[in-house]
Amino acid sequence: MRFARPTAAYDEVLVFYRDALGLPVLAEWRGKRGYDGVVLGLPGTPVQMELLQHGDPPRIPEPHPENQLVLYLRGPEAVITTTRRLADHGHTPVPAANPYWSERGAPVFRDPDGWSVVLAPWVFGEDPPPKPGRFPAAVVPRNLSAALPEPKESDDRRFP
């Protein structure tokens, strides 16, 4: 399955998903019939996300807080690793529109277009979601990177 969405900030969105989140690029093109695009893989799945920019200036729908990309990661350590990478790129968590996510230890970030990306610390369909209240509501310190534990030697720049 592949899903696609437009972007008005192609270069910034590419850095966000490829470098900060660590999603692998499967295909990329520039100026193909007036489109710039990238296909990103979601590791371990036959699912891809396609981001397209078209027009001058590109126009996209206004982001809505309930339109979310939820990335199910393998545990809190994977969320910490990914959150650290996002912090290293200047991104900080934002309040979740739905308290379900913060109650379960899933921080929410905004991509450069303003769309929500949720980092859930469990794999949907494999693990039960954490019970509400197991994790405190998200508190964003001023220096998020300093507040996170130091990465382990095995931490790398790829999607966990």
Side-chain angles (χ1 to χ4, degrees):
M1 175 185 348
R2 178 184 296 176
F3 61 95
R5 78 159 179 85
T7 179
Y10 181 83
D11 292 324
E12 294 86 358
V13 164
L14 179 59
V15 168
F16 179 85
Y17 287 101
R18 180 194 60 204
D19 300 338
L21 277 175
L23 295 176
V25 172
L26 303 178
E28 185 178 5
W29 58 94
R30 295 285 188 144
K32 187 175 183 181
R33 296 186 179 186
Y35 286 88
D36 295 333
V38 63
V39 176
L40 299 155
L42 298 176
T45 71
V47 177
Q48 298 103 37
M49 177 172 64
E50 183 174 347
L51 299 166
L52 298 163
Q53 181 171 275
H54 177 70
D56 190 20
R59 289 180 282 157
I60 64 170
E62 187 170 326
H64 186 280
E66 294 301 333
N67 282 353
Q68 304 164 346
L69 171 63
V70 179
L71 298 174
Y72 290 97
L73 307 180
R74 296 200 179 273
E77 296 80 18
V79 171
I80 289 169
T81 298
T82 305
T83 299
R84 177 178 286 284
R85 276 201 318 269
L86 286 161
D88 288 347
H89 282 86
H91 301 282
T92 57
V94 298
N98 184 335
Y100 176 88
W101 298 115
S102 57
E103 290 170 354
R104 288 163 177 80
V108 178
F109 291 83
R110 297 265 189 267
D111 78 9
D113 285 319
W115 295 90
S116 297
V117 177
V118 179
L119 305 178
W122 74 94
V123 177
F124 186 82
E126 288 183 21
D127 307 310
K131 294 191 184 309
R134 179 173 167 215
F135 295 95
V139 175
V140 182
R142 288 186 191 270
N143 186 348
L144 178 66
S145 190
L148 295 171
E150 287 300 315
K152 297 176 185 154
E153 208 169 296
S154 64
D155 289 347
D156 58 28
R157 296 313 221 190
R158 290 173 290 147
F159 187 76

